[in-house]
């Protein structure tokens, strides 16, 4: 503090003006910046994309019994969604609404099966698919 007293009057005035400007900015401008809505990307699909619940049952084509642990891979946009069927051969996946969605069913001992469904034309039904033993 002793050194500030030794400053010339002109420097003290400039220093005071700078401190006053920074204080004013801190009081008025910074709260406005903090309360502004976050900038959203125009390509943000997470808020505009509707999800559809896809239900699939996988059965053995020969015995007509459910198949457990079938890998169900749904490809729409981005990375594929991968799930496995339960003991009833049932799996449920939520995916973005698209015209055509590709589905691949795979399990050791069975032939891999590929299907395409149109979720906009037929969104609300449980789909049954059959796998053939190798």
């Amino acid at each position: 503090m002793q050194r500030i007293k030794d400053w010339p009057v002109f420097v003290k005035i400039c220093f005071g003006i700078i401190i006053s400007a920074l204080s004013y900015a801190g009081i008025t401008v910074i709260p406005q910046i903090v309360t502004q809505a976050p900038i959203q990307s125009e390509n943000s699909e997470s808020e505009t994309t509707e999800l559809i619940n896809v239900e699939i049952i996988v059965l053995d084509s020969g015995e007509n019994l459910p198949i457990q642990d079938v890998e169900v891979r749904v490809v729409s946009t981005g990375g594929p969604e991968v799930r496995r069927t339960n003991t009833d051969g049932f799996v449920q996946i939520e995916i973005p609404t698209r015209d055509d969605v590709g589905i691949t069913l795979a399990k050791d001992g069975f032939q891999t099966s590929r299907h395409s469904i149109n979720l906009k034309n037929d969104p609300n039904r449980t789909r049954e698919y059959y796998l053939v033993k190798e």
Side-chain angles (χ1 to χ4, degrees), residues 27-88:
I27 292 171
T28 59
V29 177
I30 292 177
Q32 292 173 357
I33 293 171
V34 172
T35 59
Q36 287 179 348
I39 298 172
Q40 295 182 0
S41 170
E42 291 179 17
N43 296 331
S44 176
E45 293 184 18
S46 62
E47 294 181 354
T48 60
T49 302
E50 181 182 334
L51 295 177
I52 288 184
N53 189 29
V54 176
E55 296 177 346
I56 296 172
I57 296 176
V58 182
L59 302 168
D60 183 328
S61 65
E63 300 173 9
N64 205 28
L65 295 173
I67 306 173
Q68 182 178 358
D69 290 327
V70 175
E71 180 183 277
V72 179
R73 182 178 300 262
V74 178
V75 180
S76 58
T77 57
E81 288 285 328
V82 179
R83 300 284 191 280
R84 293 201 174 271
T85 58
N86 64 12
T87 56
D88 297 322

Side-chain angles (χ1 to χ4, degrees), residues 57-125:
I57 296 176
V58 182
L59 302 168
D60 183 328
S61 65
E63 300 173 9
N64 205 28
L65 295 173
I67 306 173
Q68 182 178 358
D69 290 327
V70 175
E71 180 183 277
V72 179
R73 182 178 300 262
V74 178
V75 180
S76 58
T77 57
E81 288 285 328
V82 179
R83 300 284 191 280
R84 293 201 174 271
T85 58
N86 64 12
T87 56
D88 297 322
F90 179 80
V91 68
Q92 183 175 359
I93 304 172
E94 279 192 343
I95 56 174
T97 302
R98 296 285 179 257
D99 289 332
D100 291 320
V101 175
I103 296 176
T104 303
L105 307 171
K107 177 156 173 86
D108 289 338
F110 291 89
Q111 295 176 2
T112 299
S113 176
R114 290 178 178 79
H115 305 275
S116 179
I117 58 174
N118 188 309
L119 294 176
K120 287 193 177 181
N121 288 338
D122 191 14
N124 298 318
R125 74 174 175 94

